Amino acid sequence: MLIKLDSHNQAHQIFLYDLQVERYKYKDTNIPHVTPDTEPTLEEHTKRLWLKPFKHYYIYMEDYTYKGAIYIKGEKEICIFIAKQYLGSHCGEKCLTEFLEILPSHTNCKSIIATININNKASIKLFEKMRFKHVGNVYGRTL
């Protein structure tokens, strides 16, 4: 189930911070200026959530456990992160499916894109399965 992000909820803050640190640790990030040595602190990360709220930001929860996050960056770029221990358990597919079902009623956007690291084969497979088409260096889909 998707839960709307509450940037002032400490459990949400900690989960998202841990998810971000995990990405830095495994170098699975498209943020070139961030390395495990320069990753933000929990306080800096929380401040960023407050100061720069992303559109349509949700935490994916299953069996009373936070397992991932999904949001729109900018006007129409979809970003999804699943905690490493839940990769391969179809959490990404469930999260993305739910998000795509609710998104049209929350935005007037007619299409969305996903920028995916070319080495992230699982993510590419997921977005292709969800009817996103590879266009240039992004994957796109109409809503």
Side-chain angles (χ1 to χ4, degrees):
M1 113 169 56
L2 292 177
I3 301 168
K4 186 118 175 97
L5 172 70
D6 176 355
S7 61
H8 295 282
N9 179 313
Q10 189 174 18
H12 288 191
Q13 294 167 3
I14 292 170
F15 173 73
L16 292 176
Y17 176 73
D18 290 345
L19 197 57
Q20 197 68 44
V21 167
E22 183 178 275
R23 292 187 71 228
Y24 298 144
K25 182 178 175 184
Y26 292 101
K27 298 178 183 160
D28 179 26
T29 182
N30 290 330
I31 308 170
H33 63 279
V34 177
T35 67
D37 298 328
T38 62
E39 66 192 40
T41 64
L42 174 59
E43 186 176 284
E44 291 166 335
H45 182 76
T46 300
K47 185 186 261 187
R48 181 172 169 241
L49 285 176
W50 293 339
L51 296 177
K52 188 179 176 186
F54 292 97
K55 295 179 182 176
H56 314 295
Y57 205 136
Y58 294 87
I59 292 178
Y60 180 71
M61 185 167 126
E62 195 176 83
D63 301 324
Y64 303 102
T65 305
Y66 296 149
K67 297 190 175 184
I70 191 165
Y71 62 93
I72 295 292
K73 181 170 101 177
E75 291 303 312
K76 63 180 187 174
E77 182 178 358
I78 192 169
C79 300
I80 181 172
F81 307 107
I82 302 298
K84 196 155 190 75
Q85 68 264 36
Y86 302 112
L87 295 176
S89 66
H90 302 282
C91 285
E93 183 177 347
K94 293 173 193 173
C95 179
L96 186 54
T97 298
E98 267 190 65
F99 191 70
L100 292 173
E101 286 173 4
I102 66 168
L103 194 58
S105 65
H106 290 49
T107 182
N108 56 5
C109 199
K110 300 294 181 223
S111 64
I112 54 175
I113 62 169
T115 304
I116 304 171
N117 182 318
I118 60 169
N119 297 317
N120 191 338
K121 304 298 182 201
S123 191
I124 290 170
K125 185 177 174 181
L126 169 64
F127 279 88
E128 287 177 343
K129 182 177 184 177
M130 300 302 292
R131 299 188 335 261
F132 281 71
K133 303 292 181 214
H134 189 208
V135 182
N137 64 343
V138 299
Y139 285 77
R141 173 188 157 151
T142 55
L143 295 176

